[in-house]
């Protein structure tokens, strides 16, 4: 005989999963908005030239790669995905792009 609370446990598990998924989607939207702000601030060119430098190689555009970079950098720096992170992210992005440019010239 099955325990009486099994359906309740399953419902709780489903609700928790949905909550986690909603939080992840919200985080991804915030990271995308931060990436769009950084792209505007740096006049990021359209195209895909930065995918290998900023992304993980799976992205289709520079903005997609920048979004991946933002998520990774927020975690590395221990920052929250909000507008207060923009100056620090901008400084890190400039440092990253300068390092890439230096390597390209060598």
């Amino acid at each position: 005989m099955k325990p009486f609370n099994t359906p309740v446990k399953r419902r709780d598990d489903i609700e928790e999963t949905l909550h986690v998924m909603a939080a992840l989607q919200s985080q991804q939207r915030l990271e995308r908005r931060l990436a769009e702000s950084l792209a505007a601030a740096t006049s990021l060119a359209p195209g895909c030239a930065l995918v290998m430098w900023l992304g993980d190689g799976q992205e289709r555009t520079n903005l997609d790669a920048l979004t991946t970079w933002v998520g990774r950098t927020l975690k590395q720096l221990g920052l929250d995905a909000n507008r207060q992170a923009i100056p620090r992210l901008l400084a890190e992005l400039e440092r990253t792009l300068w390092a890439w440019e230096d390597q390209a010239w060598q």
Side-chain angles (χ1 to χ4, degrees), residues 2-103:
K2 292 184 180 181
F4 178 75
N5 66 354
T6 300
V8 173
K9 181 66 174 162
R10 287 185 191 153
R11 180 179 176 163
D12 290 345
D13 290 345
I14 291 169
E15 288 176 353
E16 177 64 23
T17 299
L18 291 173
H19 178 71
V20 169
M21 288 173 56
L24 179 61
Q25 288 173 340
S26 177
Q27 178 74 16
Q28 290 171 337
R29 280 192 302 271
L30 289 171
E31 290 170 3
R32 180 68 173 205
R33 288 183 188 138
L34 287 170
E36 289 168 349
S37 296
L38 293 173
T42 59
S43 300
L44 185 70
C48 61
L50 297 177
V51 167
M52 295 305 291
W53 286 98
L54 297 178
D56 59 15
Q58 302 299 317
E59 299 84 4
R60 297 181 68 176
T61 67
N62 287 343
L63 183 58
D64 292 342
L66 184 57
T67 302
T68 298
W69 180 88
V70 164
R72 187 173 53 240
T73 303
L74 286 171
K75 289 176 189 159
Q76 289 173 348
L77 299 177
L79 299 173
D80 291 328
N82 56 38
R83 79 171 56 187
Q84 287 78 23
I86 291 174
R88 183 75 188 272
L89 288 170
L90 186 56
E92 283 296 314
L93 179 60
E94 288 176 348
R95 186 187 63 74
T96 300
L97 293 176
W98 279 108
W100 171 65
E101 187 175 334
D102 286 346
Q103 288 181 5

